[in-house]
Amino acid sequence: SMVTPRRAAVAIACCWIVSFLVGLTPMFGWNNLSKMRRTQELNSSHTEFVITCQFETVISMEYMVYFNFFVWVLPPLLLMLLIYLEVFNLIRKQLNKKVSSSSNDPQKYYGKELKIAKSLALVLFLFALSWLPLHVLNCITLFCPSCQTPHILTYIAIFLTHGNSAMNPIVYAFRIKKFRTAFLQIWNQYFCC
């Protein structure tokens, strides 16, 4: 009764709008462009202004650490961790009660709930595993300017963040039967003859 198609559509639209605003914030001015221009002016170089397209050169570490990590990644990650711990605790309590119902088997019902909760916890774990390395490197870059992190580590961390988007459908397809069935239907309909 709470999750109606209209409410779901509004929630999805809000998520996309917030994501666009957060993701496009550097384009609205929170970037390193002015710092790069000042550096060029200090060098009194009259050559053409060229921007090296590297992650740490273009993106402001203040944005990445304070705004992106401390506001949009870490709090939701910790909140989801607490929610999953509570879900597992509730399921464990229900399974330990061994309450017998007249027609349904509670062990079977809560066993399914536990499997779904484990799948979602796996998604949360993969999210943390994929995103935390980049944010740790960003924190090192911001809080320890003299520390040099190898560029290859940054590229691997960025690759992990992109790979996270590909992991979720695979996890859902292998762990949850309804997702697997829908995934196979879509695959057969659009990719197989």
Side-chain angles (χ1 to χ4, degrees), residues 35-98:
K35 186 166 83 173
M36 288 186 290
R37 283 197 175 135
R38 278 194 305 269
T39 303
Q40 185 183 18
E41 288 170 3
L42 288 175
N43 294 337
S44 65
S45 173
H46 296 291
T47 59
E48 185 179 346
F49 181 62
V50 178
I51 298 173
T52 305
C53 189
Q54 290 182 334
F55 183 74
E56 292 178 0
T57 306
V58 178
I59 299 293
S60 164
M61 280 302 120
E62 288 83 5
Y63 161 79
M64 287 302 296
V65 172
Y66 294 123
F67 186 67
N68 196 332
F69 183 49
F70 290 158
V71 174
W72 295 104
V73 174
L74 199 56
L77 186 62
L78 294 174
L79 179 66
M80 291 301 294
L81 180 65
L82 290 174
I83 289 170
Y84 282 126
L85 289 174
E86 182 63 22
V87 165
F88 282 119
N89 189 34
L90 288 172
I91 291 172
R92 186 182 53 79
K93 282 181 183 176
Q94 291 298 328
L95 287 173
N96 288 339
K97 276 185 182 179
K98 295 183 181 176

Side-chain angles (χ1 to χ4, degrees), residues 127-189:
F127 175 82
L129 188 70
S130 299
W131 281 94
L132 288 179
L134 178 65
H135 288 294
V136 167
L137 287 174
N138 291 341
C139 287
I140 291 169
T141 301
L142 180 65
F143 298 127
C144 182
S146 62
C147 300
Q148 293 294 319
T149 55
H151 286 294
I152 189 70
L153 284 180
T154 304
Y155 295 141
I156 290 170
I158 291 170
F159 179 76
L160 281 173
T161 63
H162 289 60
N164 181 250
S165 299
M167 283 187 252
N168 291 347
I170 294 168
V171 169
Y172 287 136
F174 282 106
R175 301 273 308 173
I176 301 173
K177 188 175 188 221
K178 286 184 180 181
F179 277 95
R180 185 171 48 248
T181 304
F183 182 75
L184 288 173
Q185 280 181 329
I186 292 169
W187 184 265
N188 289 331
Q189 183 177 355

Side-chain angles (χ1 to χ4, degrees), residues 106-130:
Q107 188 79 16
K108 184 178 176 183
Y109 173 75
Y110 288 110
K112 287 180 186 177
E113 294 295 315
L114 184 62
K115 185 177 179 184
I116 291 171
K118 283 181 181 178
S119 298
L120 296 175
L122 178 61
V123 168
L124 180 70
F125 171 75
L126 291 173
F127 175 82
L129 188 70
S130 299

